[in-house]
């Protein structure tokens, strides 16, 4: 009995194991690896779980792609609401970085894929990207400056000298083109181009005499010129003057180098701040007469010029001490002092508790009878085959055009007869031209008044000459006339005080400043002059002689008059296809029959009871904070201390501190009062 039960148990276990094995092989779901998918609309990325990204960036095999709201891959230009990205072609779509050539334009995409605009530095070179992102090249005005950005396939900002379209230009270290200034010994004009006729200003010696050559080859005559921080005077031939020179009624002294002296003695003569020799006035303790020479026997008559000098005397406050509290002694009792000794530091203990559960019966064990049908195999008597049959075209004839009669007009038949032999004719053409006038360039001087800390100064600009077409009478041009005009300049503030010297000087002295002024000569426009420029005949086309060859002339001789011919054409037919030729393919199925492999049978299957797990208490983690363990140790026994307190005083102010202003007067001779 027991053996039979044991056999049944073993058989039931075996069947359970077999069932479990069958179940274990059937359970895993079939998954597909993540991959690209494509249809007529475009590409998308399918994850291994069948989902696909929407409205997001996704990295695939080291490249970034963006997918739209429907999940399709974006390509070409993409705007994310704040920046542009370039995502390649329809078959690519990956986010691009670095230089990209798109529709004939260069663009630069940053490392994060964003399209660059404005100035961009790439491998030590600067490029300028427009608002659309396209790289600019050639001449470009950016802000207030011109830049040269190379060719269409270059675009890099140029510096230094650049030869462009037959002209030399100089680009500063920041790429900005320089204009209307000297670059070393080279002059660049208003367009920035090097003016070959301009040279750096320099001193030129001829024999024993010197003159100062301007950039255009001209020089100063009968006037002053400020050169490298010094004033020089040139005569009517342009030669530098040395020694004494009278200019506009005043005498000036130029040393051996030609530089004007100022604020110093020259022998028995004194030249002031403007360089002009002083007359009829005291220079310190010395008097110069009407001819400017020092008058040795003249002594100054001193009258005190009292200059107020104010000083401040600070007086401290006056006060005394008043007793607030008498000195006293106090007994202070101090408790014993203890320190905490830690026996064990505080710690935190984490305890993981397992879930608590039990088994509940879901279904009692049962026995199932399964009927299996008979099994058959297919035996092929004749394999399937394909038969191809070619059918000829079926057609008939249809009338396209009825028979008809055509009338043809033939033109006349003729030939050419010579009327006049070929000949040659000579034609004389007069000279063609126009009158034009060339106007010389000239220097223009702009006087700038003193402003803030900036002193007054004169700016010199060269107005370029020009050529224009005129009539035979030429051209009259109004040209401004500039002259050196003496201006008295304040030594302290640099203001032009011409005509108001003494009032302005007194204001500085009354405010504690220094006085005095000097004379500077400024190039100012004093009027205009009309200058006539003659017209010059310019030949546009030289007079020339033209030889014209004339062909021979012919007349038409009719050999046969035009005639009309009637031609009869037969009817035309076309072939109409009723049914195109075709090939018919007929698939014949295989011919087969069934053969018995196994008779039908009945199988009894015992199923074990089924249980489900019922969780009584979920697993949980408990964190327990343990306090530190410590005890108290005596550091110092309790004690009593006698503390003596000094008397306390308060300060009583009898008189506040004050400042007294004292004014004294002092003369330049040293006397005081």
């Amino acid at each position: 009995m027991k053996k039979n039960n044991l056999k049944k148990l073993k058989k039931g276990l075996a069947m359970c194991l077999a069932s479990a094995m069958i179940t274990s092989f059937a359970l895993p779901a079939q998954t597909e690896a993540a991959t690209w998918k494509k249809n007529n609309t475009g590409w998308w990325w399918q994850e291994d779980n069948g989902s696909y990204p929407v409205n997001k960036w996704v990295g695939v095999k080291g490249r970034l792609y963006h997918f739209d709201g429907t999940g399709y891959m974006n390509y070409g230009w993409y705007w994310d609401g704040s920046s542009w990205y370039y995502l390649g072609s329809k078959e690519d779509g990956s986010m691009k970085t670095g230089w990209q050539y798109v529709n004939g334009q260069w663009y630069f995409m940053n490392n994060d894929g964003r399209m660059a605009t404005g100035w961009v530095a790439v491998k030590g070179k600067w490029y300028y990207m427009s608002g659309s992102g396209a790289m600019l090249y050639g001449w470009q005005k950016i802000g207030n400056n011109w830049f040269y950005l190379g060719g269409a396939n270059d675009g890099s900002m140029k510096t230094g000298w650049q030869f462009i379209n037959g002209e030399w230009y100089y680009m500063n270290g920041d790429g900005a083109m320089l204009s209307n200034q000297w670059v070393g010994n080279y002059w660049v004009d208003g367009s920035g181009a090097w003016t070959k006729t301009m040279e750096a200003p320099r001193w030129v010696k001829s024999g024993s005499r010197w003159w100062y050559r301007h950039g255009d080859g001209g020089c100063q005559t009968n006037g002053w010129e400020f050169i490298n921080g010094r004033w020089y005077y040139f005569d009517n031939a342009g030669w530098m003057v040395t020694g004494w020179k009278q200019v506009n009624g005043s005498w000036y002294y130029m040393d051996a180098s030609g530089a004007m002296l100022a604020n110093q003695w020259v022998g028995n003569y004194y030249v002031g701040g403007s360089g002009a020799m002083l007359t009829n006035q005291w220079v310190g303790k010395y008097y110069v007469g009407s001819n400017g020479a020092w008058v040795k026997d003249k002594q100054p008559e001193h009258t005190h010029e009292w200059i107020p000098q104010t000083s401040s005397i600070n007086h401290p406050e006056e006060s005394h001490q008043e007793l607030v509290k008498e000195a006293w002694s106090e007994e202070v009792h101090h408790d014993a002092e203890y320190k905490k000794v830690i026996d064990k530091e505080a710690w935190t203990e984490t305890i993981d508790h397992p879930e608590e559960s039990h088994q509940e019966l879901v279904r009692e064990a049962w026995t199932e009878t399964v009927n299996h049908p008979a099994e058959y195999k297919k035996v092929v008597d004749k394999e399937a085959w394909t038969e191809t049959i070619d059918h000829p075209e079926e057609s008939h004839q249809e009338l396209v055009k009825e028979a008809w009669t055509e009338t043809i007009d033939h033109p006349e038949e003729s030939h050419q007869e010579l009327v006049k032999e070929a000949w040659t004719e000579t034609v004389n053409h007069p000279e063609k031209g126009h009158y034009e006038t060339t106007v010389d360039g000239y220097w223009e001087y702009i006087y700038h008044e003193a402003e803030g800390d900036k002193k007054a100064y004169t700016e010199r600009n060269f107005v370029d000459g020009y050529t224009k077409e005129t009539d035979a009478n030429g051209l009259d041009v109004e040209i401004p006339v500039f002259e050196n005009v003496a201006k008295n300049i304040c030594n302290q503030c640099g203001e032009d005080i011409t005509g108001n010297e003494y009032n302005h000087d007194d204001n500085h002295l009354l405010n504690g400043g220094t006085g005095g002024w000097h004379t500077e000569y400024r190039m100012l426009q004093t009027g205009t002059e009309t200058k006539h420029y003659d017209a010059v005949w310019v030949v546009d086309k030289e007079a020339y002689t033209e030889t014209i060859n004339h062909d021979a002339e012919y007349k038409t001789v009719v050999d046969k008059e035009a005639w009309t011919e009637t031609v009869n054409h037969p009817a035309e037919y076309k072939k109409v296809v009723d049914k195109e030729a075709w090939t018919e393919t007929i698939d014949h199925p295989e011919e087969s029959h069934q053969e018995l492999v196994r008779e039908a049978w009945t199988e009894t299957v015992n199923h074990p009871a089924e249980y489900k797990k019922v969780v009584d208490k979920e697993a949980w983690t408990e964190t327990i904070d343990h306090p530190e363990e410590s005890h108290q140790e005596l550091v110092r026994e309790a004690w009593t201390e006698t503390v003596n307190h000094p008397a306390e005083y308060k300060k009583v102010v009898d008189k506040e501190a004050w400042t007294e202003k004292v004014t004294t007067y002092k003369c330049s001779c040293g006397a005081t009062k």
Side-chain angles (χ1 to χ4, degrees):
M1 184 68 180
K2 291 182 178 179
K3 289 182 179 178
N4 292 333
N5 290 335
L6 184 60
K7 288 181 180 179
K8 289 181 180 180
L9 179 61
K10 288 182 178 179
K11 184 178 180 182
L13 287 173
M15 294 180 68
C16 287
L17 287 172
S19 176
M21 290 178 65
I22 294 169
T23 304
S24 67
F25 283 111
L27 281 177
Q30 296 296 317
T31 60
E32 184 178 351
T35 186
W36 286 102
K37 299 284 187 178
K38 184 183 181 184
N39 58 20
N40 292 333
T41 303
W43 288 92
W44 74 93
W45 177 253
Q46 182 172 294
E47 303 288 358
D48 53 10
N49 61 3
S51 65
Y52 53 87
V54 175
N55 278 332
K56 62 189 298 186
W57 290 98
V58 176
V60 180
K61 297 181 180 179
R63 296 185 177 185
L64 276 174
Y65 301 83
H66 191 271
F67 299 89
D68 63 18
T70 61
Y72 287 102
M73 177 191 75
N74 291 110
Y75 63 90
W77 288 106
Y78 169 67
W79 173 256
D80 71 347
S82 61
S83 301
W84 282 101
Y85 299 80
Y86 187 67
L87 306 181
S89 67
K90 187 175 183 180
E91 298 298 320
D92 176 3
S94 61
M95 185 190 78
K96 306 302 180 187
T97 61
W99 288 108
Q100 301 296 323
Y101 192 70
V102 185
N103 296 330
Q105 299 273 13
W106 283 103
Y107 300 82
F108 188 80
M109 321 306 291
N110 292 313
N111 291 336
D112 61 359
R114 289 180 169 84
M115 183 189 76
T117 60
W119 286 108
V120 175
V122 183
K123 296 182 179 179
K125 295 183 178 181
W126 284 96
Y127 303 82
Y128 193 83
M129 322 306 288
S130 68
S132 68
M135 180 192 76
L136 300 183
Y137 61 90
W139 284 108
Q140 297 293 335
K141 189 173 186 181
I142 304 171
N144 296 322
N145 295 309
W146 282 96
F147 298 81
Y148 187 69
L149 305 180
N153 291 317
D154 176 5
S156 61
M157 182 191 78
K158 307 304 180 187
T159 61
W161 285 106
Q162 301 294 324
F163 190 70
I164 306 167
N165 296 331
E167 298 284 354
W168 284 99
Y169 300 83
Y170 189 81
M171 325 306 287
N172 222 1
D174 60 0
M177 182 195 77
L178 300 185
S179 63
N180 283 327
Q181 60 183 284
W182 289 101
V183 181
N185 293 329
Y186 304 94
W187 176 261
V188 289
D189 61 17
S191 70
W194 167 41
T195 304
K196 300 177 180 61
T197 57
M198 292 288 285
E199 301 178 13
R202 67 183 188 275
W203 286 102
V204 180
K205 187 177 183 182
S206 297
S208 61
R209 295 186 297 179
W210 290 89
W211 63 286
Y212 191 74
R213 187 189 187 282
H214 295 160
D216 59 355
C219 63
Q220 176 69 274
T221 60
N222 279 331
W224 294 97
E225 187 163 355
F226 194 68
I227 304 171
N228 297 329
R230 305 293 297 273
W231 282 101
Y232 298 83
Y233 191 85
F234 299 89
D235 63 18
N236 59 359
W239 297 110
M240 181 190 75
V241 174
T242 60
W244 287 105
K245 175 66 177 179
Q246 188 178 32
V247 182
N248 296 329
S250 297
W251 285 93
Y252 300 83
Y253 187 81
M254 275 62 72
D255 64 12
S257 70
M260 181 195 77
L261 301 183
N263 290 323
Q264 66 183 83
W265 288 98
V266 182
N268 290 330
Y269 302 87
Y270 192 85
V271 290
S274 68
M277 182 185 73
L278 302 184
T279 61
N280 294 323
Q281 58 184 287
W282 288 96
V283 182
K285 298 179 180 180
Y286 305 93
Y287 188 81
V288 290
S290 58
N291 62 351
W294 169 40
V295 182
K296 296 181 180 180
D297 299 330
K298 190 172 179 66
Q299 298 295 323
E301 297 178 0
H302 183 69
T303 57
H304 291 296
E305 181 182 356
W306 298 109
I307 301 173
Q309 296 181 329
T310 303
S311 61
S312 298
I313 302 174
N314 295 322
H315 298 272
E317 71 178 8
E318 299 174 7
S319 62
H320 67 275
Q321 298 291 322
E322 285 187 0
L323 180 64
V324 177
K325 190 175 183 180
E326 296 284 348
W328 80 102
S329 296
E330 179 184 8
E331 287 191 357
V332 182
H333 179 74
H334 299 275
D335 295 327
E337 295 178 2
Y338 292 87
K339 68 176 182 181
K340 182 174 73 172
V341 178
I342 298 173
D343 302 310
K344 188 175 183 180
E345 297 284 347
W347 82 101
T348 299
E349 179 181 7
T350 302
I351 303 174
D352 292 328
H353 297 273
E355 121 185 319
E356 298 176 6
S357 63
H358 68 274
Q359 297 290 320
E360 282 189 1
L361 181 64
V362 177
R363 189 176 183 183
E364 297 284 347
W366 80 102
T367 300
E368 181 184 9
T369 300
V370 182
N371 293 317
H372 299 274
E375 295 178 4
Y376 292 87
K377 69 175 183 181
K378 183 176 72 174
V379 178
V380 177
D381 302 312
K382 188 177 181 179
E383 297 286 343
W385 80 101
T386 300
E387 179 182 8
T388 302
I389 302 172
D390 293 328
H391 298 274
E393 151 187 289
E394 298 175 7
S395 65
H396 68 275
Q397 296 291 321
E398 277 189 5
L399 180 65
V400 176
K401 192 175 182 179
E402 298 284 348
W404 81 101
T405 300
E406 181 184 10
T407 300
I408 303 174
D409 293 329
H410 297 273
E412 69 179 9
E413 299 175 5
S414 61
H415 67 273
Q416 299 293 317
E417 285 189 1
L418 180 65
V419 177
K420 189 177 181 179
E421 294 284 346
W423 80 101
T424 301
E425 181 183 8
T426 302
V427 180
N428 294 320
H429 296 274
E431 174 184 88
K432 294 181 180 179
H434 67 276
Y435 286 97
E436 64 180 35
T437 300
T438 300
V439 178
D440 297 332
Y442 60 91
W443 288 102
E444 184 180 67
Y445 300 86
I446 303 172
Y447 176 68
H448 298 274
E449 299 284 350
E451 183 178 353
D453 297 332
K454 193 175 182 181
K455 294 184 178 182
Y457 65 100
T458 299
E459 179 185 3
R460 187 176 76 163
N461 293 311
F462 188 76
V463 179
D464 293 331
Y466 58 91
T467 300
K468 66 179 294 186
E469 189 172 338
T470 63
D471 56 21
N473 296 322
L475 191 66
D476 291 328
V477 180
E478 293 289 329
I479 299 175
V481 177
F482 297 90
E483 294 182 8
N484 269 319
V485 179
K487 294 285 185 178
N488 291 329
I489 308 301
C490 178
N491 291 335
Q492 181 169 341
C493 66
E495 185 178 344
D496 182 2
I497 59 174
T498 305
N500 190 36
E501 293 87 351
Y502 293 100
N503 288 336
H504 186 87
D505 203 41
D506 290 343
N507 288 333
H508 281 304
L509 293 173
L510 291 174
N511 287 288
T514 60
W517 65 86
H518 65 276
T519 302
E520 294 182 1
Y521 284 85
R522 307 286 188 187
M523 292 296 289
L524 300 176
Q525 186 176 348
T526 58
T528 60
E529 66 175 357
T530 301
K531 189 172 182 180
H532 179 75
Y533 292 91
D534 292 331
V536 176
W537 175 255
V538 178
V539 178
D540 300 318
K541 191 173 183 179
E542 300 284 347
Y544 64 100
T545 299
E546 180 184 13
T547 300
I548 303 174
N549 294 318
H550 297 275
D551 295 330
E553 296 179 4
Y554 293 86
K555 69 177 181 180
T556 300
V557 178
V558 177
D559 301 311
K560 187 176 182 181
E561 295 287 343
W563 81 102
T564 300
E565 179 184 7
T566 301
V567 181
N568 294 317
H569 297 275
E572 295 178 4
Y573 291 87
K574 69 175 182 180
K575 182 174 77 173
V576 179
V577 177
D578 302 310
K579 191 174 182 180
E580 296 284 346
W582 80 101
T583 300
E584 182 182 7
T585 300
I586 302 173
D587 292 328
H588 298 273
E590 70 179 6
E591 298 175 4
S592 63
H593 67 274
Q594 296 291 323
E595 284 187 0
L596 180 64
V597 176
R598 186 178 181 182
E599 296 285 347
W601 81 103
T602 300
E603 180 183 6
T604 301
V605 181
N606 293 317
H607 298 273
E610 296 178 2
Y611 292 87
K612 69 175 183 180
K613 183 175 74 172
V614 179
V615 177
D616 302 310
K617 190 175 182 179
E618 297 286 345
W620 81 101
T621 299
E622 181 182 10
T623 300
I624 303 174
D625 293 327
H626 298 273
E628 71 179 8
E629 299 174 6
S630 63
H631 68 274
Q632 298 291 322
E633 285 187 2
L634 181 64
V635 177
R636 188 176 184 184
E637 296 286 347
W639 81 100
T640 300
E641 180 183 8
T642 301
V643 181
N644 294 316
H645 298 275
E648 296 178 3
Y649 292 87
K650 69 175 182 181
K651 183 176 72 174
V652 179
V653 177
D654 303 309
K655 188 176 182 179
E656 297 285 345
W658 80 101
T659 300
E660 179 183 6
K661 291 191 179 293
V662 180
T663 302
T664 60
Y665 295 87
K666 186 177 182 180
C667 182
S668 59
C669 67
T672 60
K673 69 174 184 178

